[in-house]
Amino acid sequence: MSIHPLDRKLLRDLWRMRGQALAIALVAMCGIASFITMRSSYEALSLAQTRYYERYRFADVFANVKRAPRTVLPNVEEIAGVNEVQARVVFDASVDVPGLDEPATARLVSLPPQQGAGLNRVHLRAGRIPQTGHAGETLISEAFAQANRLQPGDSIDAIINGRKERLRLVGIAISPEYVSEIKGNSFPDNRRFGILWMDHEALAAALDMEDAFNDLALTLAPGASEAWIIEQLDKLLAPYGSLGAYGRDEQISNRFLDNELAQTKVTGSVVPAIFLGVVAFLIHNVLLRITVLQRPQIALLKSFGYSNLAVGAHYLKFALFTVMGGGILGIALGAWMGEQLAELYARFYRFPSLDFSLSGFAVSLALLIALLSSLAGAVLAVARVLKLPPAEAMRPESPPRFRPGLLERLGLQRFIALPLRIILRNIGRNRAKAALSVLGVALAVALVVTGRYSFDALDEIIRLQFRTAQRDDVTLSFNEARERSVIHDLANLPGVLRVEPFRSAAVKLKLGHRAKKTSIMGLGPSRQLRTILDDRERPVDLSPEGLVLTKKLADMLGATAGDALQVEFLEGKRRTVDLAVSKIIDEPIGIFSYMDMATLARLQMESETVSGAFLAVDPRHQEEFNRALKGIPAIASVSLREATLQSFLATIAENLTINTIVLIGFACVIAMGVVYNSARIALSEHALELASLRILGFTRTEVGAMLLGEQGLLTLLALPLGCAIGYGLCALLSLLLSQEMFRIPLVVSARTFLLSMGVVLAATAASGLLVWRKVQQLDLIQVLKTRE
């Protein structure tokens, strides 16, 4: 089978320019690989979430009450749109885990009497389900068990309703309600927080709630109004101490997972766009160079009867072969990387199965993106081919008209060495091409800046939140509000240096038509362990009559300083009062509001009680302090600042490190691709001038320095621009990735900028070495035979 003459020419062109074609293909490969990795991981995580929720009946609406009789359940079932209702008993208890010095917190959740029924069903990983009537049997969540090396048959002690109970682990399980096991708005700490499922009758008896419940889960009928049902639930459960019902989107584990999906989707759009923009630029440059060098060939092809369409398609094929070849490699690389990322997700999120699969949609979309990027880069060059008349193409391209440059007009040329003058004149005469080269290298710098940004933001969160605002060693929460005198008891514990109480009150804040359920944290007058900071990191004074809001909460309510909010307390006497917003602060974690603790008690019309306390503990007495905490029945949960932080860092460090390494590698490919192509094009365009300089006595080193000096100067110009673009991308990511639970501050360190510039300079140097070899192999005789 014969090959069409134009196709033979295409193969020869690809082979002759294999270095540049390979550079373009590698950049395309990186862009498609990053897209496939993020897209396939997003699809795998989203599909696992959907299947898990459907199969194990994850609830649509949740409600917590202090104590409600089971006789109220028929009234809940009669609410229009409610499909299924499950009443449970849920209780946070302090537990003594073997091998763990400090006390841990376990959430005890009752199981339905009938195995495999009800909502939020458990999936058994090992062992068996607790038997009805066996009070001490329990299931343990998989993450908690693995973090503490617990197996079925082991035992742990828990303080339930003021009594120490020995719980025997009979199985390990997971549940759609706790895909990620998080306590409140804190970070995941699987070592010190986990879930325990017990037989309903056994747990209800231990808590004296045989005919009552304190937790409700509901599913809704298709088309039912979630907001209306939540409103009816709040009215119905208000007399029983309801803290307000909420939908699945506010459920802590689901919200954490949804945030991860949203971030993956955003990252999967921004990063590939950088690569594919560079691909279009490289294709454009290379095809422009080909059309310039092959003017006589284009004329001959048109003279021999080849149509504009045939000639144009020939050059389009060069772009398509190059980019699509890289795209196919990118799909393979992206599939492998996506599988590795899915395994990382499987270690962090708990699903019955998280199977990676490369969907036809993702592959088709990747190929379409590669096709569009190649066409976008080729269209101008091909258009130039189509409009070129054969008679004009037979003549060499007219040399550019000489005119004095900026150096000559300013009279500075005599102060600048000849090689540098040549470099500056070349750049000045090809400003558009130089600008594109600068932009390409700048995008490589921006990519590294973007990859390193996660570390800078995390460091800033740790510094601001866990080193400056929070200086406590331990945060204790009680199972119910206690008299203020309990602070003296805490102060007498071994090693306690300082105690600062707090009062947390569940509220519903309203401003106009907007409303948000949250909590007000009341703080005392002395705030050394928990400080509220303004934008300049100065302590904020809590006004006796005002409310301090975090910026995210203020944005959700549309509130500004001075606005009057309607505050509906969801506990105690359930009063509704109006409070002015005294100040708005910016905190990266959670959505909170703060006020003076004495004022909070007065507004609730109750004596000053405390929900918990911040403690500073002498490290020399830490073990003795931990042992004392394990025996206090009033404590519902214990959070150790450093332990929680280290657990979180250990969890995300691997993901961030891998992500940064991949982006640095991809940035090197971009930098090398841009510089190598630009230098090779410059070598082809200026081969005659370089050869002439060699004949005039310039050495290979001097000639090579002129060629590579131009690329070096363009690279230096690209560095500050790349830092600026990178900062802009970080600002965009900070905005797009801002979620209710977690905000990413816009902080980029000088270390990140220096590392980014250093990586790109190293990649540029490596690319320059490859071109240097071509300069040394320059055939003077062959070049000087070139027809003018």
Side-chain angles (χ1 to χ4, degrees), residues 342-381:
E343 291 180 4
L344 192 63
Y345 280 144
R347 294 201 298 271
F348 189 76
Y349 300 104
R350 303 292 165 166
F351 294 99
S353 63
L354 180 57
D355 300 322
F356 173 82
S357 62
L358 189 60
S359 69
F361 175 77
V363 172
S364 301
L365 192 57
L367 292 175
L368 178 61
I369 291 171
L371 174 65
L372 293 177
S373 66
S374 61
L375 292 178
V379 64
L380 291 178

Side-chain angles (χ1 to χ4, degrees), residues 439-587:
L439 180 60
V441 177
L443 289 176
V445 178
L447 194 63
V448 185
V449 171
T450 305
R452 280 283 312 173
Y453 166 56
S454 299
F455 284 99
D456 289 338
L458 186 60
D459 288 342
E460 176 64 10
I461 291 173
I462 292 171
R463 184 195 67 81
L464 183 62
Q465 193 74 18
F466 294 96
R467 298 284 184 260
T468 307
Q470 294 179 224
R471 300 176 183 176
D472 60 296
D473 298 312
V474 180
T475 300
L476 302 180
S477 295
F478 303 127
N479 47 28
E480 60 183 7
R482 300 281 171 172
E483 294 297 327
R484 191 178 176 88
S485 58
V486 74
I487 300 305
H488 301 292
D489 298 331
L490 293 177
N492 292 325
L493 290 176
V496 173
L497 303 175
R498 185 177 180 84
V499 181
E500 293 181 7
F502 65 85
R503 178 68 166 96
S504 180
V507 296
K508 185 176 184 179
L509 303 180
K510 294 182 181 178
L511 180 62
H513 66 282
R514 299 186 181 185
K516 182 63 182 177
K517 291 174 183 175
T518 181
S519 62
I520 294 177
M521 179 170 283
L523 301 175
S526 177
R527 296 186 296 275
Q528 296 183 21
L529 301 182
R530 182 65 171 92
T531 309
I532 311 302
L533 304 173
D534 63 11
D535 293 341
R536 298 183 181 180
E537 299 185 19
R538 298 173 302 187
V540 173
D541 182 39
L542 295 179
S543 169
E545 301 299 332
L547 191 62
V548 176
L549 300 183
T550 56
K551 186 176 183 300
K552 184 65 176 180
L553 179 56
D555 291 342
M556 296 172 74
L557 293 170
T560 58
D563 287 345
L565 299 181
Q566 186 183 83
V567 181
E568 178 185 341
F569 289 97
L570 302 178
E571 55 185 62
K573 295 181 172 60
R574 306 182 77 89
R575 298 187 69 216
T576 299
V577 299
D578 291 331
L579 277 177
V581 177
S582 61
K583 196 169 186 64
I584 295 174
I585 62 171
D586 196 4
E587 288 186 346

Side-chain angles (χ1 to χ4, degrees), residues 568-737:
E568 178 185 341
F569 289 97
L570 302 178
E571 55 185 62
K573 295 181 172 60
R574 306 182 77 89
R575 298 187 69 216
T576 299
V577 299
D578 291 331
L579 277 177
V581 177
S582 61
K583 196 169 186 64
I584 295 174
I585 62 171
D586 196 4
E587 288 186 346
I589 301 172
I591 50 170
F592 297 104
S593 54
Y594 302 93
M595 70 183 309
D596 177 68
M597 191 164 65
T599 304
L600 180 61
R602 178 173 57 79
L603 293 174
Q604 290 184 286
M605 298 184 67
E606 64 177 25
S607 60
E608 243 183 86
T609 56
V610 297
S611 304
F614 305 110
L615 280 67
V617 180
D618 188 340
R620 295 172 297 180
H621 299 279
Q622 188 71 50
E623 292 185 9
E624 191 179 356
F625 171 78
N626 291 336
R627 286 195 298 270
L629 283 186
K630 291 181 178 181
I632 300 177
I635 295 177
S637 67
V638 179
S639 296
L640 283 74
R641 182 190 53 164
E642 288 298 326
T644 301
L645 183 57
Q646 293 305 317
S647 175
F648 173 72
L649 291 176
T651 302
I652 68 168
E654 182 180 2
N655 187 22
L656 286 180
T657 302
I658 292 174
N659 182 61
T660 302
I661 291 174
V662 169
L663 286 181
I664 288 176
F666 284 0
C668 290
V669 172
I670 285 184
M672 292 185 68
V674 171
V675 172
Y676 181 79
N677 269 280
S678 298
R680 287 289 286 117
I681 290 172
L683 178 60
S684 298
E685 291 176 342
H686 302 297
L688 179 61
E689 292 96 324
L690 295 175
S692 300
L693 289 173
R694 288 278 292 114
I695 296 297
L696 292 174
F698 284 85
T699 65
R700 286 189 175 93
T701 301
E702 290 171 328
V703 170
M706 292 181 198
L707 177 67
L708 296 180
E710 179 179 338
Q711 305 307 316
L713 181 57
L714 294 177
T715 299
L716 292 178
L717 294 173
L719 295 181
L721 177 62
C723 291
I725 294 175
Y727 189 83
L729 287 174
C730 293
L732 178 63
L733 289 176
S734 177
L735 180 65
L736 295 177
L737 300 180

